[in-house]
Amino acid sequence: YFQRNRHSVLLAAADTFRAAAIEQLAVWAERLKIEMIRGQYNADPAALCYEAYESAERRDIEFLLCDTAGRLHTKSNLMAELEKIKRSLAKHDPQAPHERLLVVDATTGSNALAQAREFHAAVELTGVIVTKLDGSGKGGIVIAIQHELGIPTRFVGTGEKLEDFAPFDSRAFIEQML
């Protein structure tokens, strides 16, 4: 999305715990021809994001995307890790990270609202990305997240191809739900 709009991008593979997470992101980085900062498995994700920020800043890169580990909102140690990443990036810029996006699966249902509450409490979310809108889920939970928490949906995923990721269009979304 950012490349299509002529912006420079750097990826940070901050999911250092899930098996093959770094390799999976590397495949997308290669497809997109975007450089990726990576560390070792079990490395400190906050330190990796901090270093990636320094690299992006040195090279005048406009957007740094830090891909963190998926986590259950009920795991307090994992939620504390997100808070640590946020504090680490704020050392460079008190406003960083400028966007904190939660990715929710359209088929998740009401559990996505519980997730959004906990993530919002931990890192003050600025948006939601809803994926798998090409499946059976309608993604109506994003309405509840917006209504209750005031967190807007920023992007939608409707498949696994590059062109299946787009900015959220509320009118198109409502039409598809009806």
Side-chain angles (χ1 to χ4, degrees):
Y1 170 78
F2 292 123
Q3 283 182 312
R4 282 193 307 253
N5 289 289
R6 302 189 192 288
H7 295 288
S8 54
V9 181
L10 176 65
L11 295 176
D15 181 350
T16 61
F17 301 109
R18 187 173 55 87
I22 295 170
E23 291 81 4
Q24 184 179 27
L25 192 61
V27 167
W28 279 103
E30 188 176 311
R31 285 180 190 165
L32 295 165
K33 296 177 180 41
I34 295 175
E35 188 178 343
M36 183 179 91
I37 303 291
R38 67 179 87 204
Q40 298 296 316
Y41 276 101
N42 296 318
D44 179 7
L48 182 107
C49 290
Y50 183 88
E51 291 169 16
Y53 190 104
E54 286 179 333
S55 179
E57 194 170 57
R58 269 193 317 271
R59 294 164 37 211
D60 250 359
I61 298 204
E62 296 170 282
F63 289 93
L64 168 64
L65 303 177
C66 298
D67 178 47
T68 62
R71 61 201 73 231
L72 295 173
H73 60 282
T74 55
K75 301 286 186 186
S76 58
N77 60 324
L78 295 176
M79 296 303 285
E81 180 183 278
L82 282 180
E83 293 168 353
K84 181 180 176 186
I85 291 169
K86 183 179 176 193
R87 286 191 312 273
S88 175
L89 291 171
K91 290 176 184 177
H92 286 293
D93 175 352
Q95 303 301 314
H98 299 96
E99 293 282 347
R100 293 161 306 279
L101 305 173
L102 174 66
V103 179
V104 298
D105 181 322
T107 64
T108 302
S110 61
N111 189 45
L113 180 57
Q115 288 176 333
R117 281 187 199 117
E118 295 300 319
F119 279 82
H120 193 50
V123 294
E124 300 175 65
L125 295 172
T126 59
V128 171
I129 297 172
V130 61
T131 64
K132 299 185 183 174
L133 281 173
D134 55 326
S136 61
K138 297 280 188 190
I141 195 62
V142 299
I143 295 169
I145 292 171
Q146 168 71 45
H147 178 73
E148 181 178 318
L149 301 172
I151 303 169
T153 301
R154 302 272 195 210
F155 295 95
V156 296
T158 56
E160 295 188 22
K161 298 179 190 134
L162 295 176
E163 60 272 9
D164 295 335
F165 185 78
F168 178 70
D169 178 341
S170 59
R171 283 196 165 87
F173 181 76
I174 296 297
E175 285 175 17
Q176 286 178 334
M177 286 189 71
L178 300 175

